[in-house]
């Protein structure tokens, strides 16, 4: 095989890996999702951005955290995944998280909605590395 | 009350209404959510944008559709809400939707993941108009 072809394939594989690691990698269901939909005020973008980044890192260090998918444009949609309702409740009661939520209602969000859901089935494309094909 | 104050209040109420209608307005749980997380290729932005818009409109016209929250930045997160698993299955099997999903795998998406979840609890801020306070 020419060296060029080999290098191109390596690049393509690395690119696919980077792409896939943007998406949350979760174990087979069942597990739980917290769907957080929100509309920002125009207020305090630096403070909001710093707090959002900090909450992502703090959530990721909590027991029972499985991953997160998040995007913000006209509105924000953040879905975090957890092993159990108990893990979600512990995170909800975390002191620093409670403080950030209070600031969110007071300053950062014009409106938001939180939904707690039990994930019953999932599939993807391409299939996650090391996971069997679970497409129904 | 001075006219200025009244006008300002009307403006504020209208602004709050516009903000809240960006977020999906759903009935009390239980209902179902389809969480669609994706990473785009760089390919065919106009074709993708047109199809995404068309799929939003088509989904909204299906029986059992309740609403959708969606945002795209580095990745996309779209959560659609449905009355039942049967409604989700019908939408999945819709001919035009199937065609769009095929094009998605072939051209538009570098990777995606779909999760089907049962929403068991929700709360928001501010509370939706006409809904009782369901904050737990």
């Amino acid at each position: 095989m020419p060296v060029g072809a080999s290098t191109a394939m390596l690049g393509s594989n690395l690119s696919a890996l980077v792409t896939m690691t943007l998406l949350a990698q979760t174990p087979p269901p069942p597990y739980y999702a917290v769907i957080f939909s929100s509309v920002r005020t125009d207020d305090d973008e630096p403070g909001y951005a710093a707090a959002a980044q900090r909450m992502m890192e703090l959530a990721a260090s909590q027991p029972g955290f499985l991953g997160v998918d998040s995007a913000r444009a006209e509105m924000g949609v953040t879905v975090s995944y957890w092993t159990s309702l108990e893990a979600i409740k512990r995170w909800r009661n975390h002191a620093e998280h409670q403080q950030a939520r209070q600031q969110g209602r007071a300053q950062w969000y014009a409106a938001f909605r939180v939904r707690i859901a039990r994930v019953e089935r999932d599939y993807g494309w391409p299939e996650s590395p090391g996971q069997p094909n679970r497409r129904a």
Side-chain angles (χ1 to χ4, degrees), chain A residues 9 28 30 32 35-38 50 54 59 75-76 79 82 88 90 94-95 98 101-102 110-111 118 120-121 133:
Chain A
M9 282 181 66
Y32 287 85
I35 304 163
F36 178 71
S37 311
S38 64
R54 169 67 184 152
M75 64 181 291
V79 188
W82 302 84
I88 292 170
R90 274 197 306 269
H94 188 290
Q98 284 193 317
R101 296 215 319 281
Q102 190 173 15
R118 179 183 149 101
E120 301 185 344
R121 201 162 70 80
N133 189 324

Side-chain angles (χ1 to χ4, degrees), chain A residues 87-95 97-98 101 114:
Chain A
I88 292 170
K89 191 174 178 184
R90 274 197 306 269
W91 169 232
R92 185 183 162 87
N93 291 336
H94 188 290
H97 185 202
Q98 284 193 317
R101 296 215 319 281
V114 178

